[in-house]
Amino acid sequence: MKRSQVNEILREGDAFIRSFGFLLPPFAYWTPDDMVARRPEISGILSARMGWDITDYGQGDFDNLGLFLFTVRNGRQSDLKHGGGMCYAEKIMISRHDQISPMHKHIVKAEDIINRGGATLALEMFESDAEGNIDRSTDVLVATDGVQRRLKAGEVLLLAPGESVTLIPGNWHKFWGEGGDVLIGEVSTVNDDLTDNIFEDPIGRFSDIEEDEEPIHLLVSDYDKWLTE
Ligand SMILES: [Fe+2]
């Protein structure tokens, strides 16, 4: 993706989020220079990879295959290993109309995926088989807002604004905005996007950026390059 496209998506996403009365934390609006200047005090943001995350899954077709994410908070893997403390994470995301987030599962992370507003959120779901691959025949058992549901393998779950689904490790899922753009919340186990996304197809998690203008804000995938100690 070109940086100019990332900047444009970032501006549009910020406006969409605000239109629902959801406000991002202060660090969302720091410039790259602000982040460099504040480097000594923001290791918590950098190590938890909090912030903007706009991905085309490395395929260069954001409108059809992509996702807008902002990681609002993220806990500590060490706390998770010890079994207590900051084991949680929160993201706000946007799936545009028919914009696919491709089929994947998580090994560690359980996640509540929440329709925070806008259009319908559609999720196609499968269970894992004994080897962890997609099980194309077994029914899928999931909870939507605490209510147990049984779906056929590959059935599409539709969530209206206010509704959510709890996905546990091993639940394969693919999702998109149905009929329009949708604001999505994610409340989850502490999150490691570098290791805990298993995709059905060989695909990247982050975008390759072509620098054609200055970034208005850094993406989490920019931190290593722009904010090295
Ligand atoms: Fe997921």
Side-chain angles (χ1 to χ4, degrees), residues 104 106 111 173:
H104 68 283
H106 309 287
E111 56 186 6
H173 52 286

Side-chain angles (χ1 to χ4, degrees), residues 7-17 62 68 94 96:
N7 286 341
E8 179 68 19
I9 293 164
L10 211 148
R11 288 191 190 93
E12 291 170 357
D14 183 51
F16 188 72
I17 291 169
F62 179 79
F68 171 108
I94 302 165
R96 295 188 180 184

Side-chain angles (χ1 to χ4, degrees), residues 66-79:
L67 183 63
F68 171 108
L69 311 94
F70 187 97
T71 300
V72 182
R73 70 198 77 247
N74 194 13
R76 302 184 191 99
Q77 298 292 337
S78 56
D79 282 5

Side-chain angles (χ1 to χ4, degrees), residues 7-132:
N7 286 341
E8 179 68 19
I9 293 164
L10 211 148
R11 288 191 190 93
E12 291 170 357
D14 183 51
F16 188 72
I17 291 169
R18 283 174 181 276
S19 75
F20 294 94
F22 192 101
L23 298 174
L24 296 174
F27 70 87
Y29 302 105
W30 294 349
T31 65
D33 285 347
D34 292 335
M35 294 199 92
V36 170
R38 303 185 78 144
R39 178 67 189 83
E41 59 176 342
I42 62 170
S43 58
I45 293 173
L46 305 184
S47 63
R49 296 174 67 86
M50 289 152 59
W52 304 96
D53 180 5
I54 291 161
T55 185
D56 63 358
Y57 300 94
Q59 304 302 297
D61 187 17
F62 179 79
D63 291 342
N64 292 306
L65 189 73
L67 183 63
F68 171 108
L69 311 94
F70 187 97
T71 300
V72 182
R73 70 198 77 247
N74 194 13
R76 302 184 191 99
Q77 298 292 337
S78 56
D79 282 5
L80 187 63
K81 287 196 180 77
H82 291 129
M86 201 176 178
C87 302
Y88 54 86
E90 179 190 13
K91 294 180 185 181
I92 190 82
M93 312 188 287
I94 302 165
S95 279
R96 295 188 180 184
H97 185 194
D98 288 342
Q99 182 187 38
I100 301 291
S101 282
M103 187 63 74
H104 68 283
K105 67 171 183 176
H106 309 287
I107 303 294
V108 174
K109 181 173 75 164
E111 56 186 6
D112 278 17
I113 302 294
I114 308 149
N115 186 334
R116 296 278 192 205
T120 299
L121 172 59
L123 296 105
E124 183 182 324
M125 295 192 56
F126 294 94
E127 291 285 1
S128 287
D129 64 18
E131 286 76 45

